[in-house]
Amino acid sequence: MNPVIGITPSIQNETNMHFVSAANIAAIKGAGGIPIILPFVVSEDQIRQIGNMIDGLYLTGGNSIDPTLFHEEPHPKLGEINPIRDQYEVAIIEEMQTQQKPILGVCRGCQILNVALGGDMYQDIYAQIDGELLQHKQHAPANHASHFVHVKEETLLREIVETERIKVNSRHHQANRNPGKDIQISGIASDGVVEAIESKQAPFILGVQWHPEDLATAGDTVSKRIYNAFVQACSENENNT
């Protein structure tokens, strides 16, 4: 059976509309998973039930994250936040970790994953990091890979991509700073910005700062490997339960 992958959607504050890009759904389907868009709930029992229903969690990109979650107040360059999404994603991440099920986070998903596990982040890299940075909010099509990421040895990401340097797209002004509990940095840009994190202990907890869904649906081999590895881990987890 194909594993069921729970996808967290974005929320539009003005209308409360929940939405997920077609590329995210296509990337999961292309790797053999069954994508399910998750509702945001607050009940612990409901969150536990959702955790029981899905074989893996996919955290998508989107708006900024409430800095009070990592004990900071809002920086002037902080973007729009949605507290309901923040609250739910932290809770479902914790539940999936308890159940030892795979998690993949992209862009904002990479950041909320780190924050949920006790890490922190830059609210705006250009205002909070000294020195000249790359263009991390590219002026190019979404499926264009615009800069390189160095992938550290002896990491899950390195095992998946099978090379020390990959080329990625980039649409962010925030980034992870200090990794959370049992989290290590596995990918970094040439300017020092953290581009990937992963668990030191869990079989598959991975966050990447770029948008592999856009690259995967355009045929990028490395991005497809990331989704294939994630869905395979979810399938193995399903078979062991």
Side-chain angles (χ1 to χ4, degrees):
M1 294 180 63
N2 300 75
V4 176
I5 311 299
I7 302 179
T8 59
S10 294
I11 302 179
Q12 189 175 69
N13 282 333
E14 295 82 3
T15 63
N16 203 32
M17 182 183 294
H18 293 46
F19 60 94
V20 172
S21 75
N24 280 308
I25 295 173
I28 295 297
K29 289 172 62 178
I34 299 175
I36 300 293
I37 300 175
L38 299 178
F40 291 138
V41 298
V42 295
S43 162
E44 290 184 7
D45 288 340
Q46 290 177 328
I47 289 171
R48 189 175 303 110
Q49 288 181 50
I50 289 174
N52 290 336
M53 290 169 53
I54 61 178
D55 301 305
L57 176 66
Y58 180 42
L59 303 162
T60 63
N63 49 1
S64 295
I65 295 168
D66 183 359
T68 63
L69 292 174
F70 48 95
H71 312 294
E72 288 186 6
E73 294 191 271
H75 188 279
K77 296 290 187 179
L78 177 70
E80 184 177 43
I81 68 169
N82 186 286
I84 295 173
R85 182 180 186 183
D86 292 337
Q87 180 184 1
Y88 173 75
E89 289 189 339
V90 168
I92 193 66
I93 288 167
E94 292 173 347
E95 179 61 32
M96 296 297 283
Q97 189 182 37
T98 297
Q99 296 195 24
Q100 298 183 325
K101 291 184 176 181
I103 303 174
L104 174 63
V106 303
C107 200
R108 171 206 151 89
C110 177
Q111 298 160 6
I112 195 67
L113 176 60
N114 188 48
V115 168
L117 300 180
D120 62 23
M121 57 183 284
Y122 294 107
Q123 296 183 49
D124 185 87
I125 55 176
Y126 296 102
Q128 295 181 298
I129 297 179
D130 294 331
E132 187 173 348
L133 299 181
L134 298 175
Q135 185 185 89
H136 287 276
K137 203 164 186 177
Q138 68 185 43
H139 303 300
N143 61 5
H144 172 71
S146 61
H147 74 78
F148 294 99
V149 170
H150 172 74
V151 183
K152 294 188 177 182
E153 295 181 358
E154 299 181 356
T155 61
L156 171 64
L157 183 59
R158 181 67 169 268
E159 180 182 336
I160 293 170
V161 303
E162 299 179 353
T163 183
E164 65 178 344
R165 193 173 75 153
I166 59 176
K167 196 175 180 183
V168 306
N169 55 2
S170 194
R171 299 201 305 273
H172 66 102
H173 74 102
Q174 300 183 307
N176 287 319
R177 183 167 50 198
N178 297 304
K181 183 180 179 182
D182 297 324
I183 292 293
Q184 64 178 333
I185 296 169
S186 53
I188 193 165
S190 61
D191 57 7
V193 170
V194 173
E195 291 283 343
I197 60 168
E198 62 186 59
S199 174
K200 296 178 182 177
Q201 298 182 345
F204 200 111
I205 293 181
L206 174 66
V208 298
Q209 186 57 67
W210 60 95
H211 285 270
E213 73 275 15
D214 294 318
L215 300 175
T217 52
D220 180 65
T221 300
V222 167
S223 300
K224 287 183 175 181
R225 286 177 181 169
I226 292 174
Y227 286 103
N228 289 341
F230 171 55
V231 172
Q232 179 61 36
C234 296
S235 179
E236 292 171 356
N237 184 279
E238 176 193 25
N239 294 331
N240 291 332
T241 56

